[in-house]
Amino acid sequence: MTRTRQLAALWALAVCLLLGHNAYLWLVQRIVPDTDIMALLPVQERDPVLQASFAHMVDAAQQRVIVLVGAEEWTDAKRAADAYQAVLGTRSDLFAAAAIDEQTQNDWLSVFQQHRLTLLTAEQEAQLRTQPAQYWLDAALAKLYSPFGGPKLGSWQEDPFGLFGGWVQERAQETPVRPRDGHLFVADAHKQYVLLPLTLKVPALSMTAQETVLPLLQQAADAARNTAPKIELIQAGVILHAANASAQASGEVSTIGIGSLLGIIALMWFAFHSFKPISLILLSIGVGFLGALSVCWLLFGQIHLMTLVFGASLIGVAQDYGIYFLCNRLAAGEQLDSPALLRRLMPGLCFTLLAAVIGYMGLALTPFPGLRQMAVFSALGLVFAWLTVVCWFPALIGSRTLKSGALVRGYGAALRAWPLLRFNRATLVAVLVFAVAAAYGVSRLGANDDIRLLQNPPKHLIADQIKLSKLLDAPTPVQYFLVRAPSAEQVLQREEQLKARLDPLIAGKQISGYQAMSNWVPSAATQTARRALIEQKLLGDDGPLQGLARETGEDAAWIDATRTGLLASSAPLAMDDFLKTPASEPWRHLWLGQIDGGYASIVALRGLGMAAVPQVMRAADGVQGVQWVDKVAEISSVLGRYRVNMSWVVLGAYAVVFVLLFPRYRGRTWRVLAPTAIASIAALAILGFASQNLQLFHVLALMLLLGVGVDYGIFMQEHPDRRDHTPWLAVGMSAANTILSFGLLGLSHTPALQAFGLTMLLGTALVWLIVPCFGTTTSTITSSSESKHV
């Protein structure tokens, strides 16, 4: 058996293993692509506590779906909400709905009633320190005799001065939502809404769950509208955004993948007028895709949906090696058989693969886990496609010649129309004009590293989210204070110091409020001080309690019983005890607990506007262990830093590729790299003239353009004689397919991928236009140099 057949047989065995593994993944394991948008966000580089705090905030919202059913009349809103819930009630395996009844509210309050003597508002504590005894005596009598003296939480004797009732009222102000007629109620100036808080029992980021939950939500919405046609329905939840992203990405996979394949088939047919070259190219692409999928699954344990979207554009690059071989097979005719031709082409094929892999691996230097997976997937796909060309194409084609179509002859003749650059006056003028235009265009480039460019949700989802946030006065999950200390007690004390700084901001309307665990569980030091304060100011001899007994005609036994009852409830409330109760469920995401050798918590802000951020973040100044977290600004800063760093990496990659190519091309090495470098500068200038803002994904595209563009330079320099049209045909067909693939990626609704695709589209087209200008009229590659460097 010849060496060619041996390689073909070994590769056939490897491909059979790939097919078996892919069949197992899709048919047995039934893999479902990951749709978690968080996988596209940069990993926190230094601080695990900060990363955990963000995960806490995100995870708290991930499984929730919030629905508001609104109408001008409360009865209409209730009726529509009941119809909505009735549909969801048929699938208790998908949703858990919160029960709202009197018993639930009593259970919620019971844990606090046991500690009511130590639960005070900041205003009450200040009044205890400053107001005379007569003030508290009058307050107790007013509460006793007035029907509007505040909420009746237990008997009057259990809270004669209304301190616990005042604390409960302040806690209720943390949300505008109120119980009403067995529902949760909120309203604005125009409508009254029933709030339906739903908790998913299935993973929100699962495509299977999305395919089940979304139709059910639509069915429930239809039922609500049929009951009361004029209702307003507001829905918000991570699953809605994830489902939209999944549908968008799936559509883009189809558009990019099918469009690229159809383009390749059409070009191959017009070039060769035969199905065999088409089938060989599709075979190399198919093996590349299957190989990348299998190895990525083994490395990462899952595949992100955006990896498949980006991987679909791999088609436009993976076909380069097959096209290069087929074009040379066409030109060789009967002079060389395929194994001999492969030996001649191997240096160029090796360098083109190396350059492309370097380009893709540049993407792996970013802080994006999802983008790293895309880079590995694409690089592996190229390797498997290359191996398919090297191992199978010589055996499958053998010594047979290929037919050429009219496209080949016409396109080859077009090479004569391209100018050759020489060291003369015309070239100098062209260089100066280009330098001035490029410098002006690049100078117009701005920069935009906003993380929100990673996604582009539909307007109706954004509008619903904004309106819901305003109605519920909900805090943002991406801007908050992180509080750290060696112990849980110190965390609560530092929260209390921070809240004292935030209270003036509430009065000044910079924020509408805050959510903190110390609102519910004050520090033990605070609870102890409050007990002592109440004993001194209210329960002491000749204090307000004694005066209250005289005014109401009670005796000493009543005084002793009241004092004993109040003091019995004065034990400090512990954080662990609070976290075990149902009342803590809405706030548990604020408590990180013991982490990284200490304790940590989150103080979330309500009603925070962008204009107030500079003043609010200064509230942490001077408070030990308190840190302002602005995740959007932080990640955007990381993106900006990586944009600058990756720009230097691109320049370094040019130097690395130059060193790798120099032993083979010597004095012509600059001709290999110059077209891609010029095209990159020109692409940036065009973006500048179009008033585009530069972002990380433009720079990453330039990194990949290096890998793709150098391929074309290598093709041309392997056959530098312009009378040989073979490399020009390979460059044209490869560039056309790359332009098609990344041009379709430029149609993506994800702004980051759109920027990537547009840059690749411009850059590849420019490389194709420029690369013939760097050809020569005579070949300088001798047979001896070829054999030396193979």
Side-chain angles (χ1 to χ4, degrees):
M1 183 181 290
T2 64
R3 184 179 179 183
T4 300
R5 292 184 177 276
Q6 289 176 340
L7 280 175
L10 287 173
W11 190 238
L13 177 61
V15 172
C16 286
L17 292 175
L18 284 179
L19 289 172
H21 187 241
N22 272 267
Y24 167 76
L25 291 178
W26 291 106
L27 299 178
V28 179
Q29 192 157 343
R30 297 184 181 277
I31 63 172
V32 176
D34 180 18
T35 60
D36 185 2
I37 192 66
M38 299 305 295
L40 300 179
L41 297 181
V43 175
Q44 174 56 239
E45 300 168 298
R46 301 170 299 278
D47 195 336
V49 179
L50 192 57
Q51 180 67 15
S53 71
F54 183 56
H56 251 245
M57 294 293 280
V58 171
D59 292 345
Q62 187 166 287
Q63 291 301 107
R64 297 209 180 264
V65 177
I66 305 298
V67 180
L68 286 174
V69 183
E72 293 181 2
E73 298 295 332
W74 174 242
T75 54
D76 289 340
K78 282 198 303 179
R79 193 167 66 253
D82 290 339
Y84 193 103
Q85 280 189 304
V87 174
L88 300 187
T90 62
R91 293 300 304 270
S92 57
D93 58 319
L94 297 179
F95 289 101
I100 306 299
D101 53 35
E102 187 174 348
Q103 183 60 44
T104 302
Q105 297 175 55
N106 291 336
D107 291 344
W108 188 86
L109 286 171
S110 62
V111 63
F112 302 112
Q113 286 175 324
Q114 298 171 24
H115 306 276
R116 59 186 180 274
L117 193 63
T118 60
L119 299 176
L120 301 176
T121 68
E123 183 181 7
Q124 288 171 337
E125 187 171 358
Q127 289 172 340
L128 281 169
R129 297 183 186 280
T130 59
Q131 295 293 345
Q134 188 62 40
Y135 172 87
W136 293 104
L137 177 59
D138 293 342
L141 291 173
K143 185 174 183 293
L144 175 62
Y145 296 120
S146 172
F148 306 106
K152 300 297 188 291
L153 304 174
S155 68
W156 173 78
Q157 188 176 2
E158 291 177 347
D159 185 27
F161 301 101
L163 297 176
F164 179 60
W167 179 85
V168 170
Q169 282 186 304
E170 185 179 74
R171 299 286 67 75
Q173 297 305 313
E174 294 197 18
T175 173
V177 179
R178 299 288 181 268
R180 180 179 177 184
D181 300 337
H183 295 78
L184 291 176
F185 162 80
V186 68
D188 61 14
H190 306 289
K191 291 182 180 178
Q192 304 179 74
Y193 296 87
V194 174
L195 170 65
L196 302 177
L198 308 170
T199 302
L200 288 169
K201 294 182 178 180
V202 292
L205 301 177
S206 163
M207 290 182 68
T208 304
Q210 294 161 17
E211 292 168 358
T212 305
V213 169
L214 268 293
L216 187 63
L217 291 177
Q218 184 59 51
Q219 183 182 345
D222 292 340
R225 290 191 177 99
N226 290 336
T227 303
K230 294 184 179 180
I231 64 161
E232 179 184 9
L233 198 63
I234 301 173
Q235 300 178 115
V238 171
I239 192 170
L240 301 177
H241 291 268
N244 173 76
S246 300
Q248 177 180 300
S250 298
E252 290 174 3
V253 167
S254 301
T255 301
I256 296 169
I258 295 174
S260 300
L261 284 174
L262 291 177
I264 289 175
I265 292 171
L267 281 171
M268 294 296 292
W269 173 256
F270 286 121
F272 297 105
H273 279 291
S274 172
F275 285 108
K276 186 163 189 176
I278 296 174
S279 62
L280 289 173
I281 292 295
L282 295 181
L283 178 65
S284 66
I285 293 171
V287 172
F289 203 85
L290 293 176
L293 185 63
S294 282
V295 178
C296 270
W297 182 266
L298 293 174
L299 290 175
F300 299 104
Q302 52 85 35
I303 294 291
H304 198 281
L305 188 59
M306 294 305 294
T307 298
L308 298 181
V309 175
F310 190 81
S313 66
L314 169 68
I315 294 170
V317 183
Q319 40 79 37
D320 286 4
Y321 315 117
I323 286 177
Y324 183 55
F325 183 89
L326 292 173
C327 289
N328 280 276
R329 177 68 267 176
L330 177 66
E334 298 180 355
Q335 299 176 13
L336 286 174
D337 62 8
S338 293
L341 176 64
L342 179 65
R343 288 192 292 272
R344 174 181 291 184
L345 299 179
M346 274 301 288
L349 283 172
C350 288
F351 283 121
T352 55
L353 175 65
L354 183 61
V357 169
I358 288 175
Y360 273 113
M361 284 298 97
L363 308 185
L365 299 177
T366 64
F368 298 87
L371 200 56
R372 290 173 185 168
Q373 190 184 96
M374 294 179 197
V376 173
F377 184 95
S378 299
L380 287 170
L382 294 183
V383 171
F384 279 97
W386 186 90
L387 287 171
T388 302
V389 171
V390 170
C391 296
W392 275 359
F393 277 35
L396 293 175
I397 296 177
S399 59
R400 287 189 294 274
T401 59
L402 299 176
K403 295 185 294 182
S404 64
L407 175 65
V408 172
R409 294 185 292 274
Y411 178 76
L415 183 60
R416 291 193 295 270
W418 260 259
L420 273 174
L421 293 181
R422 292 289 179 264
F423 291 104
N424 53 32
R425 182 176 298 178
T427 300
L428 180 61
V429 170
V431 169
L432 288 175
V433 170
F434 173 78
V436 171
Y440 179 70
V442 171
S443 69
R444 288 172 53 89
L445 277 173
N448 186 356
D449 302 303
D450 196 328
I451 185 60
R452 285 165 287 204
L453 292 175
L454 280 179
Q455 58 178 336
N456 185 26
K459 292 181 179 178
H460 74 274
L461 286 180
I462 297 176
D464 279 2
Q465 188 71 53
I466 292 173
K467 186 161 188 178
L468 184 141
S469 296
K470 288 182 177 178
L471 282 168
L472 302 184
D473 194 21
T476 170
V478 295
Q479 292 172 306
Y480 53 87
F481 287 100
L482 176 62
V483 183
R484 290 185 262 200
S487 68
E489 169 67 10
Q490 285 180 293
V491 167
L492 295 173
Q493 290 178 12
R494 290 175 180 179
E495 277 193 12
E496 291 164 350
Q497 294 177 53
L498 174 63
K499 291 191 301 183
R501 303 277 192 92
L502 294 175
D503 287 337
L505 298 178
I506 297 175
K509 300 188 183 303
Q510 276 84 12
I511 58 175
S512 60
Y514 47 74
Q515 294 178 350
M517 290 301 280
S518 56
N519 288 350
W520 305 90
V521 184
S523 65
T526 296
Q527 293 187 60
T528 301
R530 285 174 176 174
R531 172 187 168 129
L533 183 62
I534 289 174
E535 287 188 45
Q536 175 189 352
K537 295 290 187 177
L538 301 181
L539 308 183
D541 294 339
D542 296 326
L545 185 61
Q546 295 272 7
L548 187 59
R550 289 192 299 270
E551 290 288 338
T552 58
E554 299 291 349
D555 57 14
W558 180 88
I559 295 174
D560 291 339
T562 302
R563 182 185 286 114
T564 301
L566 289 172
L567 294 178
S569 66
S570 62
L573 175 60
M575 180 62 69
D576 290 341
D577 294 337
F578 173 64
L579 291 174
K580 294 174 185 177
T581 66
S584 68
E585 195 277 334
W587 321 106
R588 288 173 189 161
H589 64 283
L590 299 175
W591 186 251
L592 277 69
Q594 191 167 10
I595 181 172
D596 198 36
Y599 287 79
S601 70
I602 293 167
V603 176
L605 305 175
R606 307 194 328 266
L608 175 64
M610 293 298 295
V613 168
Q615 187 172 358
V616 170
M617 61 189 296
R618 286 196 293 270
D621 293 349
V623 183
Q624 186 179 2
V626 177
Q627 175 184 359
W628 169 250
V629 178
D630 187 338
K631 201 63 179 179
V632 171
E634 176 199 341
I635 297 177
S636 297
S637 174
V638 171
L639 292 182
R641 188 167 71 253
Y642 270 87
R643 173 175 51 80
V644 174
N645 293 344
M646 286 303 298
S647 299
W648 290 107
V649 170
V650 171
L651 294 177
Y654 272 91
V656 170
V657 172
F658 184 91
V659 171
L660 291 173
L661 296 180
F662 185 79
R664 178 165 181 81
Y665 299 105
R666 299 292 179 178
R668 293 180 296 122
T669 306
W670 70 274
R671 294 178 181 269
V672 178
L673 290 173
T676 306
I678 294 172
S680 298
I681 295 171
L684 290 176
I686 292 172
L687 292 173
F689 282 117
S691 300
Q692 294 288 309
N693 287 318
L694 193 66
Q695 54 172 280
L696 174 63
F697 290 88
H698 289 114
V699 180
L700 295 178
L702 296 180
M703 186 73 189
L704 181 56
L705 181 63
L706 168 63
V708 173
V710 167
D711 285 359
Y712 306 156
I714 290 173
F715 290 169
M716 297 298 290
Q717 293 306 316
E718 284 293 312
H719 307 267
D721 193 337
R722 281 169 65 95
R723 292 170 295 182
D724 184 356
H725 296 166
T726 303
W728 176 233
L729 177 62
V731 167
M733 295 186 66
S734 297
N737 286 304
T738 302
I739 288 170
L740 180 61
S741 294
F742 286 102
L744 291 172
L745 190 63
L747 299 177
S748 171
H749 292 288
T750 303
L753 291 181
Q754 187 182 70
F756 192 100
L758 179 61
T759 308
M760 283 296 298
L761 172 66
L762 291 172
T764 304
L766 289 168
V767 173
W768 171 74
L769 288 172
I770 295 170
V771 74
C773 301
F774 288 83
T776 58
T777 55
T778 58
S779 175
T780 58
I781 302 180
T782 64
S783 300
S784 60
S785 66
E786 285 186 11
S787 61
K788 177 180 178 181
H789 297 296
V790 170

